[in-house]
Amino acid sequence: MPADTTRQPSAPATTPADGPQEPAVTPASTPPVPAPALAALVGIAAGGDRLPPEFFTHPDPAPGATHAANTRLRASGCPVHAIDYPPGGDAYVVSAYETALRAFGDPRLSKSVDNAPGWFRDLLKDSSPVLIRNMITADAPEHTRLRRLVSRAFVPRRMALLRPRIQEITDELVDALPASGEIDLMEFAFTLPMRVICEFLGVPIEDRPDLHAWGYWLSGAPFADEESNRQLKVASDSIEQYLIGLLDRRRAEGLGEDLVSILLRAADEEDVFTNDELVSTLVLLIIAGHKTTANLIGNGFQALFRFPDQLALLRSEPELVESAVEEFLRFEPPVYRGTLRVATEDMELDGCPIPREGFVHILMDSANRDPEAFEHPDRLDITRANNRHFAFGHGAHFCVGAPLSRVEGSVAFPTLLRRLPGLELAVPHDELEWVFDNSTSRGLKKLPVRYTARLAAAPEGTSR
């Protein structure tokens, strides 16, 4: 993301001004909008009560309803809105692009758990201590130290070198699909990045199911109920013990060129990481390294199915994949809100007072649809230029794994479209179920698709 804060409008979409837009009407077959969330939106628009937790955890599941709710927030006249999340704390949602841009760079908004209210800090430390010793929960200079080495491992140049292996894994997974018929594309979407991150970290592939299960609980920490936090503690302890064992085995067997070995050298030889920080960093990379890309693939395909003209365009011009991936990230980001920030002092954000220890959620999916920043924001346009979305955050905490996710997406979309002719959604679009849980990510539970044939992989050395 460029460092300057100027904003140029996106290039006009290739479809007419009255072209397809994100549906705003709830189909009769879908459940109604939850009453508390709807009432809260009405209240917010009139300067009333806080948004309830359900605004995040149980939003209206109808197609386009989440974005319609964000539109109402932005139209309320205030870019910052109070919300009861985490329940019982002072918390605020940032919904507008320019305000989000300022919030990302505001030094008064801390990422360190040490600046959170005592009750929240204790809850997180008790339920998942493995999560609070990495760069995502640190401010400079600790954040700078923890991020520097990991960033070098994820530079775009190094990720480009992984592209041939990512292509091989993608083709292997497609080879394993039925010759034709119906599949759940989310199974492919989760398997691909998990295979890739396991190889990148040197983690045995047979451990993938456990890592995926533990990552589910850790990505939602902490929870509001005691039983979920108990499950979270089990997952936290399990993944910590697994990674300690992995590090011990790697030290005993000898270091290689995988990322775990690179981090171990820094911890053992350069004294850059403590062992606790190393384990916490690996947890972060495993969680972020597969869930974000899985949702990018799933969310991107559901968007293409909603806009068949863009599906046809990408199928006929696969060289558009890089701009298409950026548009998928903007249009339906795999991480819809930023991880928590906490005010270190009493402050104002665009005229809204935020008390010390107040939580601030930057609503990236709302900022990415702000008409003040994007032309025709509710239209999918895979040729969109100057696409300065917030899907990977912004500033010092910009997602370190973004280059890997982009490469995986740029391989997956054209490969699936070329090798699975006739690929289409196998159910009505309004039957798709979104995962709304305690985490900051958003994706589909399942993505049923069908296709007419499975073509062979392109010969090595030819255009994919």
Side-chain angles (χ1 to χ4, degrees):
M1 188 70 68
D4 68 277
T5 57
T6 56
R7 177 75 186 138
Q8 299 297 324
S10 299
T14 55
T15 49
D18 58 353
Q21 302 286 324
E22 184 77 11
V25 179
T26 303
S29 61
T30 58
V33 178
L38 185 61
L41 280 172
V42 173
I44 286 292
D49 294 335
R50 295 186 294 174
L51 290 164
E54 289 80 8
F55 183 77
F56 283 161
T57 59
H58 294 91
D60 181 1
T66 298
H67 297 297
N70 291 339
T71 297
R72 290 194 289 270
L73 282 183
R74 293 193 304 270
S76 69
C78 179
V80 182
H81 313 272
I83 186 170
D84 186 19
Y85 194 90
D90 280 314
Y92 303 84
V93 166
V94 176
S95 61
Y97 186 96
E98 290 297 332
T99 308
L101 189 64
R102 284 188 280 276
F104 275 123
D106 196 317
R108 299 170 297 177
L109 294 178
S110 170
K111 298 285 290 178
S112 174
V113 175
D114 291 338
N115 288 313
W119 63 268
F120 182 85
R121 184 171 61 247
D122 293 342
L123 178 61
L124 191 57
K125 288 182 177 179
D126 289 343
S127 60
S128 52
V130 73
L131 285 177
I132 59 176
R133 302 186 293 259
N134 61 62
M135 58 192 171
I136 205 172
T137 56
D139 299 324
E142 287 297 289
H143 170 262
T144 307
R145 173 180 65 83
L146 293 168
R147 182 184 174 97
R148 183 179 294 119
L149 187 69
V150 180
S151 296
R152 290 207 302 266
F154 281 90
V155 293
R157 181 180 65 258
R158 184 184 177 98
M159 296 302 99
L161 295 175
L162 290 176
R163 179 182 288 270
R165 179 55 187 149
I166 294 172
Q167 183 68 63
E168 288 177 358
I169 294 172
T170 303
D171 282 323
E172 288 170 8
L173 294 176
V174 176
D175 288 341
L177 297 176
S180 63
E182 183 173 323
I183 61 169
D184 175 10
L185 196 59
M186 290 310 298
E187 293 183 3
F188 169 92
F190 272 103
T191 302
L192 172 62
M194 182 59 86
R195 283 274 303 271
V196 171
I197 197 64
C198 280
E199 287 199 9
F200 191 33
L201 295 174
V203 174
I205 191 61
E206 60 268 20
D207 297 333
R208 179 184 63 85
D210 285 337
L211 293 174
H212 179 69
W214 296 329
Y216 166 80
W217 289 103
L218 291 165
S219 66
F223 295 85
D225 63 288
E226 185 175 338
E227 174 57 24
S228 293
N229 279 317
R230 188 190 68 78
Q231 296 279 2
L232 171 61
K233 184 64 165 62
V234 171
S236 179
D237 291 345
S238 297
I239 198 170
E240 183 169 16
Q241 291 306 308
Y242 171 82
L243 290 173
I244 289 172
L246 176 69
L247 296 175
D248 289 344
R249 290 194 302 275
R250 194 61 50 80
R251 286 185 175 107
E253 296 167 0
L255 303 183
E257 296 303 317
D258 56 87
L259 183 55
V260 170
S261 295
I262 292 172
L263 296 177
L264 270 173
R265 288 191 186 96
D268 295 346
E269 300 173 13
E270 303 174 33
D271 199 26
V272 174
F273 291 106
T274 67
N275 211 57
D276 285 348
E277 290 169 342
L278 180 55
V279 169
S280 189
T281 296
L282 289 174
V283 171
L284 173 64
L285 294 177
I286 290 168
I287 295 173
H290 81 282
K291 194 171 185 179
T292 299
T293 302
N295 286 342
L296 163 61
I297 295 170
N299 295 0
F301 268 108
Q302 72 83 27
L304 286 173
F305 296 140
R306 186 182 292 281
F307 291 84
D309 64 318
Q310 299 299 290
L311 174 61
L313 180 59
L314 185 57
R315 183 176 274 132
S316 64
E317 299 184 39
E319 64 273 14
L320 292 174
V321 68
E322 290 189 5
S323 63
V325 165
E326 298 307 310
E327 180 67 344
F328 301 147
L329 290 165
R330 180 199 70 85
F331 189 77
E332 200 70 72
V335 177
Y336 76 99
R337 60 182 169 91
T339 49
L340 280 179
R341 287 164 167 78
V342 183
T344 58
E345 60 183 66
D346 292 341
M347 59 177 286
E348 284 193 359
L349 189 58
D350 279 1
C352 177
I354 297 174
R356 180 177 174 272
E357 295 189 344
F359 297 103
V360 174
H361 306 271
I362 301 177
L363 205 56
M364 280 114 70
D365 67 343
S366 178
N368 284 352
R369 298 285 190 104
D370 190 338
E372 296 297 317
F374 298 95
E375 188 173 355
H376 304 305
D378 293 327
R379 180 185 306 149
L380 184 75
D381 173 18
I382 65 170
T383 68
R384 190 181 296 271
N386 297 317
N387 198 343
R388 294 171 58 188
H389 57 75
F390 288 144
F392 291 121
H394 178 79
H397 283 271
F398 184 82
C399 177
V400 71
L404 177 59
S405 187
R406 282 172 162 141
V407 171
E408 290 172 317
S410 69
V411 170
F413 284 100
T415 300
L416 288 168
L417 289 176
R418 189 191 70 80
R419 295 198 57 190
L420 303 179
L423 186 66
E424 64 180 2
L425 192 61
V427 298
H429 210 102
D430 60 11
E431 290 185 10
L432 295 178
E433 291 186 71
W434 293 87
V435 178
F436 296 109
D437 54 23
N438 220 48
S439 75
T440 60
S441 63
R442 180 171 294 160
L444 293 163
K445 291 183 180 180
K446 294 184 178 181
L447 185 56
V449 299
R450 55 178 168 248
Y451 51 94
T452 57
R454 174 172 48 79
L455 303 182
E460 186 175 353
T462 63
S463 174
R464 302 276 181 159

